[in-house]
């Protein structure tokens, strides 16, 4: 009798877990659909609101930046440019960095705890770069996330999904991800501010940033080759 009771309890516990996971997924999907619809319909109004309230409502702008980074109905560099033009290079960089970092953190939590592990796995299977990310994570997960964030050719969604499915702790992921986003987010804010003040300087900024990314990419390639050689 005791074995039968344990078996039935195990079945009931599993069913409850599956039902709880399903409810969480439905809630997340419904909430996401509502937010996406609002962003599609009103993203221009949100950006105009940011422009018309230059230097005001920082918290509201941070929320807009987070949602537009999590659900990119328009390219995030455009959002960063508008915010940079409205708030200036320093405050603007901080706002769009916060929005992008928070969006990555939310995506991480959705995949790991929201019942979307299967979706995260499917995302990873679509990209050949996943194998290299695995090699880097085995060596140093924190440094890997920081460097990978700086390389524009590696999709952000792949880094988010891989980290969520790995054993890396959430605070470590957020810190590493935030550090890696600093150069790009700063550039977006500077470009937006410079367009308003002195457009010719954009060429110099892009040249400096491109040179910086070139050396980061060379270092990344050298690091991956050395790790692959060591494993072989």
């Amino acid at each position: 009798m005791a074995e039968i009771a344990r078996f039935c309890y195990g079945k009931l516990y599993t069913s409850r877990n599956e039902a709880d996971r399903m409810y969480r997924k439905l809630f997340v999907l419904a909430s996401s659909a509502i937010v996406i619809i609002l962003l599609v319909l009103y993203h221009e109004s949100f950006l105009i609101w940011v422009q018309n309230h230059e230097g005001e409502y920082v918290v509201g702008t941070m929320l807009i930046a987070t949602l537009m980074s999590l659900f990119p109905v328009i390219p995030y560099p455009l959002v960063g440019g508008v915010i940079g033009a409205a708030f200036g290079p320093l405050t603007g960089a901080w706002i769009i960095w916060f929005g992008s970092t928070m969006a990555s953190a939310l995506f991480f939590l959705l995949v790991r705890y929201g019942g979307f592990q299967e979706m995260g796995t499917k995302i990873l299977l679509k990209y050949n770069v996943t194998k290299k990310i695995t090699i880097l994570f085995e060596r140093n997960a924190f440094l890997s996330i920081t460097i990978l964030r700086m390389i524009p050719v590696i999709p952000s969604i792949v880094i988010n999904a891989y980290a969520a499915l790995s054993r890396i702790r959430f605070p470590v992921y957020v810190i590493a991800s935030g550090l890696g986003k600093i150069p790009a987010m700063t550039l977006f804010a500077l470009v937006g501010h410079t367009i308003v003040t002195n457009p010719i300087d954009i060429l110099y900024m892009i040249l400096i940033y491109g040179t910086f990314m070139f050396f980061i990419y060379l270092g990344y390639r050298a690091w991956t080759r050395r790790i692959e050689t060591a494993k072989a």
Side-chain angles (χ1 to χ4, degrees):
M1 291 293 294
E3 291 180 358
I4 295 175
R6 282 197 297 270
F7 176 78
C8 293
Y9 177 78
K11 283 287 187 179
L12 179 62
Y13 182 77
T14 302
S15 299
R16 286 179 177 176
N17 275 347
E18 291 178 353
D20 180 63
R21 190 181 302 113
M22 180 60 67
Y23 288 138
R24 278 185 291 162
K25 289 179 71 173
L26 289 175
F27 175 77
V28 170
L29 290 173
S31 302
S32 299
I34 293 171
V35 174
I36 291 171
I37 291 172
L38 290 175
L39 290 177
V40 169
L41 294 176
Y42 299 108
H43 65 272
E44 290 185 4
S45 299
F46 290 148
L47 294 180
I48 291 173
W49 178 82
V50 171
Q51 288 178 317
N52 291 338
H53 296 85
E54 296 184 2
E56 301 178 10
Y57 304 109
V58 173
V59 175
T61 306
M62 290 168 69
L63 177 60
I64 292 173
T66 300
L67 294 177
M68 286 194 170
S69 179
L70 184 61
F71 304 108
V73 295
I74 59 174
Y76 195 64
L78 295 180
V79 178
V82 171
I83 294 174
F87 286 85
L90 294 179
T91 306
W94 157 251
I95 291 173
I96 62 175
W97 172 85
F98 177 87
S100 181
T101 302
M102 282 298 298
S104 296
L106 289 172
F107 188 90
F108 178 99
L109 293 174
L110 289 178
V111 173
R112 178 169 287 188
Y113 302 111
F116 290 89
Q117 291 88 349
E118 185 177 343
M119 182 197 73
T121 303
K122 288 181 179 179
I123 291 173
L124 295 180
L125 292 175
K126 292 181 180 180
Y127 295 91
N128 295 326
V129 75
T130 303
K131 184 178 179 181
K132 285 193 173 183
I133 294 177
T134 301
I135 295 173
L136 295 176
F137 261 65
E138 290 175 354
R139 183 59 61 94
N140 190 319
F142 181 90
L143 185 60
S144 299
I145 293 173
T146 303
I147 293 176
L148 292 171
R149 283 292 186 205
M150 296 183 186
I151 303 175
V153 296
I154 299 178
S156 179
I157 193 171
V158 176
I159 303 171
N160 296 338
Y162 193 98
L165 295 172
S166 71
R167 296 180 180 179
I168 190 170
R169 291 180 294 133
F170 177 68
V172 176
Y173 164 78
V174 173
I175 295 172
S177 186
L179 288 174
K181 287 175 176 289
I182 290 175
M185 299 303 108
T186 303
L187 176 70
F188 297 160
L190 287 173
V191 168
H193 177 71
T194 306
I195 287 177
V196 177
T197 56
N198 192 5
I200 193 65
D201 287 346
I202 292 178
L203 297 176
Y204 300 110
M205 292 166 49
I206 293 175
L207 180 61
I208 293 172
Y209 182 76
T211 304
F212 172 73
M213 285 294 100
F214 175 73
F215 284 107
I216 288 291
Y217 184 70
L218 287 181
Y220 159 76
R221 291 292 300 272
W223 188 31
T224 54
R225 280 198 298 266
R226 188 170 66 177
I227 294 175
E228 290 172 348
T229 303
K231 290 194 68 173

